Amino acid sequence: MIQTDKNRVSPEPGKDRVMIFDTTLRDGEQSPGATMTHDEKLEIAGLLDEMGVDIIEAGFPIASEGDFRAVKEIAERAENAVICGLARANLKDIDRCWEAVQHARRPRIHTFIGTSPLHRAIPDLTQEEMAERIHETVTHARNLCENVQWSPMDATRTEWDYLKRVVGIAIAAGATTINIPDTVGYTAPVESADLIRRLIAEVPGADEIIFATHCHNDLGMATANALAAVEGGARQIECTINGLGERAGNTALEEVVMALKVRGDIMPFATGVDTRKIMNISRRVATVSGFPVQFNKAIVGKNAFAHESGIHQDGMLKNAETFEIMRPEDVGLSETNIVMGKHSGRAALRSKIRELGYDLAENQLGDVFYRFKELADRKKEIYDEDLIALVHAGTDGESDRLKIKSLKVMCGTDGPQTAHLVMTVDGEEKSTEATGDGPVDATFNAVRAIFAHDARLQLYQVHAVTEGTDAQATVSVRMEEDGRIVTGQSADTDTVVASAKAYVHALNRLLVRRERTGGDTPEVSYKDVS
Ligand code: KIV
Ligand code: ZN
């Protein structure tokens, strides 16, 4: 049977099945600064597969050796999801994509070309020439793989007649899914629904395949546009965890999935996603991408289930439904935030960590327990967020060529602020003293004095993990060197220590990137047209 995905069975009677296509590892990861390491990509793909995402777009295999390796390994490991790779409209890209995804139990090739007048002008193709290119590349992809997705990039700004024509060509050439991208987040919900409805009604063969919607959030309408497209007949939503993606991001997976779950009364569509896994993957993507979730973000923001005003709290205590349209546990927030402290033992920690969705081996648990005790000596109450920060503090699995041994900083009103730093570089101990405009600046200057580099600090962000003056601070930094962008994160009750560790974390990642790419940065963007 041809793997059109049309034959997917809905888990809920009376509801149509909508497939969730996650592109966190491709569209999300290509946003500047969100670069993830190989191990992080495998981990996120594993979580997506486990939570019931139907299709994982694992990357853009021709972009770099690293991308190719990640897509291939994700394809080899995935147990349930279709694994998809992106390819531009040329035979070399498509072959490379197939080389990576063919190892999957259920592989898919996703090929695309920009069809709007602005995009056609870049490779300087006439409508006719582009139509031929689409026929040739989709046919080639379909000869390699049964499951082929085709996208007319910038579809929402493509002339209607031309869009209709090229969608027809792609279907005739064997595409099994047609994705309609709103590449620049330009469309509005009524148009989004209408466009899909008209394509299904007017393009020959459209009722044989799946239509997908791929929205960007430039005008804050990505979720509304995706849901409207489903209303119009789309049965695949393309999205990312936390809405990660370039500029204002992509449609957020957690928003569309929860909207369909909560408002099944007016949107009778079911997904295969286990929504209780949402919080864990959201936190993990925020950490590894270095893009923190805004506090008031729908579903996964820190305040999404917090009720602070007196009236709200009173109503919540009497009946949670007064102010809650979904239960926190439905998205994986534990019902009670049991506070742990210095008297809590290993068994309590083990059960709490399990409840938070982590399955640690005994030696990993031992490490976390050690860090937990250290933290408990400095901080009275340890919350879920603190534990999550502790779990991730030691699971990076990357090379640690640079390590901080000790840091002492003098600060206050009578500057100059001075940092005394001892570090090891490839095992060799080095120490220095540096001043700066404030304690963090002094610390970063000290790191630079020990390990000279030209990487530019693009972003420095501090968040308190919990409330209170003894709260752990999580620090994210983003750095750039010759086009390589890396992020680093760390958490500590001392903000300056967290900053120093985050900075060194980013430098360690930069060293890995330097090794991987040699002297130059050959990575290709999906926007490079050829
Ligand atoms: O936004 C877009 O158009 C894309 C395509 C490559 C599908 O991401
Ligand atoms: Zn996109």
Side-chain angles (χ1 to χ4, degrees), residues 431-504:
S431 62
T432 195
E433 184 180 301
T435 57
D437 284 336
V440 174
D441 192 45
T443 303
F444 287 7
N445 286 342
V447 173
R448 253 191 305 272
I450 289 180
F451 181 73
H453 59 271
D454 291 327
R456 215 169 44 83
L457 186 67
Q458 281 192 331
L459 173 100
Y460 168 73
Q461 253 172 358
V462 184
H463 285 286
V465 173
T466 56
E467 276 82 41
T469 49
D470 66 348
Q472 284 199 97
T474 54
V475 175
S476 306
V477 300
R478 186 158 77 219
M479 298 168 78
E480 187 266 342
E481 180 195 73
D482 297 333
R484 300 180 191 94
I485 298 175
V486 288
T487 56
Q489 294 87 29
S490 192
D492 200 283
T493 48
D494 184 321
T495 310
V496 184
V497 171
S499 304
K501 288 187 192 161
Y503 192 66
V504 167

Side-chain angles (χ1 to χ4, degrees), residues 220-267:
M221 293 194 283
T223 296
N225 285 334
L227 294 172
V230 170
E231 232 14 89
R235 290 294 176 267
Q236 175 179 302
I237 299 178
E238 306 211 352
C239 45
T240 58
I241 301 290
N242 299 339
L244 187 69
E246 248 178 305
R247 310 186 309 276
N250 291 55
T251 301
L253 179 146
E254 62 278 7
E255 292 179 14
V256 283
V257 167
M258 288 311 289
L260 293 177
K261 185 175 168 106
V262 173
R263 296 310 312 273
D265 55 332
I266 54 158
M267 294 183 282

Side-chain angles (χ1 to χ4, degrees), residues 26-27 86 110 112 151 153-154 179 181 183 214 216 526:
R26 198 278 298 168
D27 222 354
L86 184 70
H110 175 194
F112 76 100
S151 296
M153 185 161 75
D154 208 12
N179 174 40
T183 305
H214 177 112
H216 282 264
Y526 74 93

Side-chain angles (χ1 to χ4, degrees), residues 301-309 312-313 316 324 333:
K302 195 170 153 79
N303 293 353
F305 290 91
H307 300 273
E308 256 193 73
S309 83
H312 281 218
Q313 283 180 350
M316 284 293 297
E324 255 177 22
L333 270 173

Side-chain angles (χ1 to χ4, degrees), residues 11 14 43 50 69 100 114 134 168 178 214 222 245 249 258 260 267 290 321 338 353 388 399 404 409 417 475:
E43 182 199 340
E50 215 179 277
R69 232 168 27 94
I134 294 164
I178 298 287
H214 177 112
M258 288 311 289
L260 293 177
M267 294 183 282
E321 282 179 27
I338 298 170
I353 283 183
I388 291 164
S399 91
I404 293 179
V409 181
Q417 284 77 24
V475 175

